């Protein structure tokens, strides 16, 4: 039951972050890349003290014990920052529906990588379920998947993000399985925040500084707090804890649930109407 609870927490929180991100970077909101950096900075500010306290009380059982573990955790955090930067850049031209379908290919890519590296076992039913779920997502978003020449780069960026997120999930599964989930999350998110600010600095040097609104706008700030606390601290801690207890393929099925939750969130908060095809697509996705 705890594993099921962790799975549902990740699905519900990360599925609603799409809506929160739109609010956060919407009109009168925060600059796109700075908002991502602020999100993970908030998460790191909350978790680093927890990590330091845990390290002091349990020096032998809290956090990485070898230099190699530190190196892998840092690499995973940097990859997470790269993945988020690619997603934000890609969604400047690619619709959320198309991005959801592209991310649905992650379990297939994961199956190839874990088979090549022999880091996990892939069953035929895993692949069949992934294909069925991708079909279900395609049914839901079929009217939003037209690709123009302007969107080609965005599609490439989203696919690159899928590859990056798949690699860091494999790293965390293989090299952080024996670490406390909160310690792992603290280091991972802190590295992500630093890497994103480096990215913001590079972007600023190239295209100029995008000012952060002051005083903080109400709705975008509430969305930023939700993304930092729930979308980062709680969801990542639950995910890493769950990843220690499930196979990569099972944990990877979360990418099929995210767009369904996001669609329901849009219907609830943005009053988007769900048609019959939507319900059929949801049923196919859940069957997968």
């Amino acid at each position: 039951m705890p594993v099921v609870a962790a799975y549902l927490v990740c699905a519900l929180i990360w599925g609603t972050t799409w809506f929160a991100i739109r609010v956060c970077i919407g009109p009168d909101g925060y600059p796109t890349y700075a908002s991502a950096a602020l999100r993970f900075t908030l998460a790191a500010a909350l978790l680093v003290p927890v990590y330091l306290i845990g390290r002091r009380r349990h020096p032998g059982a809290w956090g990485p014990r070898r230099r190699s573990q530190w190196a892998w955790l840092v690499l995973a955090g940097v990859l997470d920052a790269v993945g988020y930067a690619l997603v934000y850049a890609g969604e400047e031209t690619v619709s959320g529906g198309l991005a959801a379908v592209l991310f649905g290919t992650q379990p297939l890519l994961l199956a190839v990588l874990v088979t090549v590296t022999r880091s996990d076992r892939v069953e035929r039913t895993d692949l069949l379920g992934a294909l069925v779920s991708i079909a279900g997502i395609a049914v839901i978003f079929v009217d939003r998947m037209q690709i123009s020449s302007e969107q080609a780069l965005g599609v490439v960026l989203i696919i690159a993000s899928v590859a990056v997120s798949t690699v860091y999930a494999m790293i965390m599964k293989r090299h952080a399985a024996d670490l406390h989930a909160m310690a792992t999350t603290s280091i991972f998110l802190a590295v992500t925040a630093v890497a994103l600010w480096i990215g913001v600095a590079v972007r600023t040097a190239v295209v100029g500084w995008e000012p952060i609104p002051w005083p903080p706008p109400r709705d975008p700030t509430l969305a930023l707090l939700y993304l930092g606390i729930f979308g980062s601290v709680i969801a990542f801690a639950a995910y890493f804890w769950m990843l220690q207890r499930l196979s990569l393929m099972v944990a990877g099925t979360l990418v099929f649930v995210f767009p369904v939750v996001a669609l329901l969130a849009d219907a609830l908060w943005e009053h988007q109407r769900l048609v019959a095809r939507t319900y059929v697509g949801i049923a196919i996705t859940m069957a997968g």
Side-chain angles (χ1 to χ4, degrees), residues 225-270:
L225 291 173
Y226 177 79
L227 291 167
I229 298 171
F230 290 89
S232 299
V233 174
I234 296 176
F236 271 108
Y239 176 70
F240 290 144
W241 181 87
M242 179 183 65
L243 198 60
Q244 295 174 346
R245 293 158 176 81
L246 293 179
S247 70
L248 281 167
M249 291 301 298
V250 174
T253 60
L254 279 167
V255 298
F256 301 131
V257 186
F258 296 158
V260 173
V261 175
L263 190 69
L264 296 176
D266 291 345
L268 177 62
W269 290 314
E270 295 186 342

Side-chain angles (χ1 to χ4, degrees), residues 73 76-77 80 168 172 183-193 236 240:
L73 277 178
D80 184 47
Y168 90 64
M172 298 303 289
T184 299
T185 308
S186 302
I187 299 168
F188 178 84
L189 296 185
V191 173
T192 299
F236 271 108
F240 290 144

Side-chain angles (χ1 to χ4, degrees), residues 139 159 166 190 227 254:
V139 169
I159 293 176
T166 303
L227 291 167
L254 279 167

Side-chain angles (χ1 to χ4, degrees), residues 37-271:
L38 287 169
R39 166 187 176 176
F40 286 98
T41 300
L42 171 61
L46 295 173
L47 282 177
V48 168
V50 175
Y51 169 75
L52 294 176
I53 293 172
R55 187 82 174 187
R56 186 181 304 114
R57 292 181 177 178
H58 310 283
W62 188 282
R65 292 178 285 277
R66 301 181 299 275
R67 289 184 179 180
S68 60
Q69 282 186 317
W70 274 104
W72 285 115
L73 277 178
V74 170
L75 176 59
V78 171
L79 290 175
D80 184 47
V82 172
Y84 269 93
L86 289 170
V87 167
Y88 275 90
E91 288 193 351
E92 290 181 347
T93 57
V94 171
S95 68
L98 178 56
V101 175
L102 293 173
F103 254 92
T105 62
Q106 186 184 48
L108 299 181
L109 176 60
L110 182 61
V112 173
L113 291 178
V114 298
T115 300
V116 171
T117 61
R118 297 181 180 179
S119 57
D120 206 347
R121 183 178 180 181
V122 180
E123 303 287 349
R124 291 183 180 179
T125 51
D126 294 330
L127 297 178
L128 178 60
L131 292 172
V132 172
S133 290
I134 290 174
I137 294 173
V139 169
I140 296 172
F141 294 105
V142 65
D143 58 342
R144 309 181 200 181
M145 291 193 294
Q146 294 81 8
I147 302 176
S148 64
S149 57
E150 292 79 10
Q151 291 178 310
L153 177 59
V155 170
V156 173
L157 293 175
I158 296 294
I159 293 176
S161 177
V162 173
V164 169
S165 63
T166 303
V167 172
Y168 90 64
M170 292 178 62
I171 290 174
M172 298 303 289
K173 175 67 174 177
R174 185 166 184 174
H175 297 283
D178 61 338
L179 303 179
H180 194 286
M182 290 302 295
T184 299
T185 308
S186 302
I187 299 168
F188 178 84
L189 296 185
V191 173
T192 299
V194 172
L196 282 171
W197 280 118
I198 293 174
V200 170
V202 172
R203 178 180 171 82
T204 299
V206 175
V207 302
W209 171 251
E210 294 181 274
I212 296 175
W214 189 265
R218 187 193 66 179
D219 290 349
T221 302
L222 290 175
L224 180 62
L225 291 173
Y226 177 79
L227 291 167
I229 298 171
F230 290 89
S232 299
V233 174
I234 296 176
F236 271 108
Y239 176 70
F240 290 144
W241 181 87
M242 179 183 65
L243 198 60
Q244 295 174 346
R245 293 158 176 81
L246 293 179
S247 70
L248 281 167
M249 291 301 298
V250 174
T253 60
L254 279 167
V255 298
F256 301 131
V257 186
F258 296 158
V260 173
V261 175
L263 190 69
L264 296 176
D266 291 345
L268 177 62
W269 290 314
E270 295 186 342
H271 306 292

